[in-house]
Amino acid sequence: MNAAKWIKSTALVAAAGVLLTGCGLSSAGSYVPPAGPGSISPLPDLPENPTMTVTSKAFTEQLILGKIAVLAGQAAGFKVKDLTNVPGSQPARELIHSGQATMMWDYTGTAWMTYLGHEEGIADQAKMWRSVHDQDLGNGIIWGRPAPMNNTYAMAVRSEAVEDLGGISKLSELKDLDPKDLTFCVDAEFNSRSDGLNPMLELYGLERGNPKSVPDSNVGIYDTGAIYSATDSGDCNFGEVFTTDGRIKALDLTVLEDDLGYFPAYNVAPVLFGKFADKYPGVEEVFAQISPKLTDEALQAMNLEVDVKGREPADVAFEWMVAEGFISKP
């Protein structure tokens, strides 16, 4: 490890330590309704007062997933310490790596590229999960069954413009459009990163800066949140989005299929501290039954409830868990 990486890693570990000591092993958003058993019920042969510590990152989707994990842990018979709402991927990861937290939902692409240090992502979802799973076993971390939801980059178009744009549904169809229609809204990072807009256009047969393809004037740079409204209002035809964002549903945007597999996979999966999973072998199955229900559409709907309607992540998670039969109202 070079000096710069060592300094960064040390600072992140220290930040996680400050977070824990400053908050007394609790988070700013530790509210969660009590959960009764459903298809998830207390594991057999648990010792008295078994504990599980759940962590998450600090953005909406992670808060919802964190509360889902807290509720699942309660229904499985654990006394759950709620350590959700940790600011940043690396500090949350360090809590799992050190065993200070024993469970979180995390993204395969984040693990592969940020935690494990690979420069190129993997678009194939099954291959990405397997690669992360196998490498992280050496770190004492177990990746459980991945969910269908894949919170990766995508390009979206307002649904009412699809017909005017030739019924477009795939990124490979962009090259068939008139250059005047190839207008894009992206954030500054995606505009410049090595796996961002320009290589995407190249893969799909387009050339940035070519007046006969995608002139530079066709690309607008926006704050990430403003891209959604700009795409919806027609400031551009194609906007950079994240596939599970609730605003896709709220604004009736259509996500174009990445049919050549440009964007890396970012499937969410339950991540367990290895010694905890070994001690309670049934806990993997608790989360394995939840994973298949975590689709892009399910998270879009839940994210919308929080981001657009202003509801509490814990209440949204509770209602979804009850509706799916995983837990019951006590």
Side-chain angles (χ1 to χ4, degrees):
M1 180 181 292
N2 64 36
K5 287 186 177 179
W6 183 88
I7 291 170
K8 181 179 180 181
S9 176
T10 303
L12 289 166
V13 173
V18 169
L19 175 73
L20 285 173
T21 56
C23 295
L25 281 175
S26 64
S27 75
S30 58
Y31 159 72
V32 68
S39 61
I40 301 172
S41 58
L43 298 178
D45 303 320
L46 286 177
E48 187 175 356
N49 295 321
T51 59
M52 173 190 297
T53 302
V54 172
T55 191
S56 81
K57 305 166 198 182
F59 57 90
T60 296
E61 181 169 284
Q62 275 282 296
L63 293 173
I64 293 169
L65 290 169
K67 300 308 180 183
I68 286 173
V70 171
L71 291 163
Q74 288 180 357
F78 290 90
K79 180 180 180 182
V80 182
K81 295 180 180 178
D82 186 344
L83 201 62
T84 54
N85 202 25
V86 172
S89 293
Q90 287 282 15
R93 160 75 171 196
E94 180 54 33
L95 296 183
I96 293 290
H97 188 242
S98 66
Q100 294 179 81
T102 51
M103 190 276 162
M104 73 178 294
W105 294 94
D106 211 345
Y107 305 93
T108 54
T110 304
W112 185 246
M113 301 178 75
T114 301
Y115 310 148
L116 302 176
H118 298 276
E119 293 186 359
E120 293 188 8
I122 301 172
D124 183 276
Q125 297 181 27
K127 184 178 179 181
M128 174 70 93
W129 178 85
R130 174 56 61 185
S131 299
V132 169
H133 171 275
D134 291 353
Q135 186 169 343
D136 239 356
L137 286 175
N139 295 319
I141 294 172
I142 295 176
W143 283 74
R145 181 178 181 176
M149 63 160 286
N150 178 26
N151 191 4
T152 190
Y153 287 107
M155 300 304 296
V157 57
R158 64 194 185 283
S159 294
E160 60 269 25
V162 168
E163 186 175 349
D164 292 339
L165 295 169
I168 190 168
S169 63
K170 304 175 182 179
L171 287 176
S172 60
E173 295 167 342
L174 288 171
K175 66 182 184 299
D176 300 326
L177 298 181
D178 190 292
K180 68 179 176 56
D181 293 324
L182 290 170
T183 54
F184 297 86
C185 296
V186 298
D187 65 18
E189 180 181 358
F190 188 73
N191 181 59
S192 61
R193 59 187 290 163
S194 60
D195 58 350
L197 178 64
N198 293 349
M200 184 203 81
L201 294 174
E202 182 179 354
L203 176 65
Y204 281 103
L206 297 167
E207 183 181 354
R208 171 80 175 269
N210 184 339
K212 296 182 179 180
S213 185
V214 182
D216 284 329
S217 59
N218 281 21
V219 179
I221 310 301
Y222 293 76
D223 290 338
T224 301
I227 292 172
Y228 293 83
S229 56
T231 306
D232 179 56
S233 65
D235 289 355
C236 59
N237 282 327
F238 306 103
E240 165 212 350
V241 300
F242 293 98
T243 51
T244 60
D245 196 296
R247 287 168 292 189
I248 293 173
K249 183 179 180 70
L251 297 173
D252 189 25
L253 303 179
T254 295
V255 175
L256 300 182
E257 179 187 349
D258 178 21
D259 50 322
L260 297 184
Y262 175 72
F263 296 112
Y266 279 84
N267 294 85
V268 80
V271 180
L272 299 165
F273 180 57
K275 292 180 180 179
F276 173 76
D278 291 341
K279 185 176 181 180
Y280 303 110
V283 77
E284 287 188 61
E285 182 54 35
V286 169
F287 295 102
Q289 64 179 291
I290 297 175
S291 284
K293 298 292 186 178
L294 293 173
T295 62
D296 285 356
E297 293 76 16
L299 267 296
Q300 283 179 15
M302 286 190 276
N303 287 333
L304 183 150
E305 290 293 315
V306 176
D307 286 334
V308 178
K309 299 182 181 180
R311 300 187 62 209
E312 284 287 336
D315 290 332
V316 173
F318 180 81
E319 289 181 5
W320 182 80
M321 290 284 281
V322 170
E324 294 292 341
F326 295 125
I327 63 173
S328 60
K329 296 179 180 179

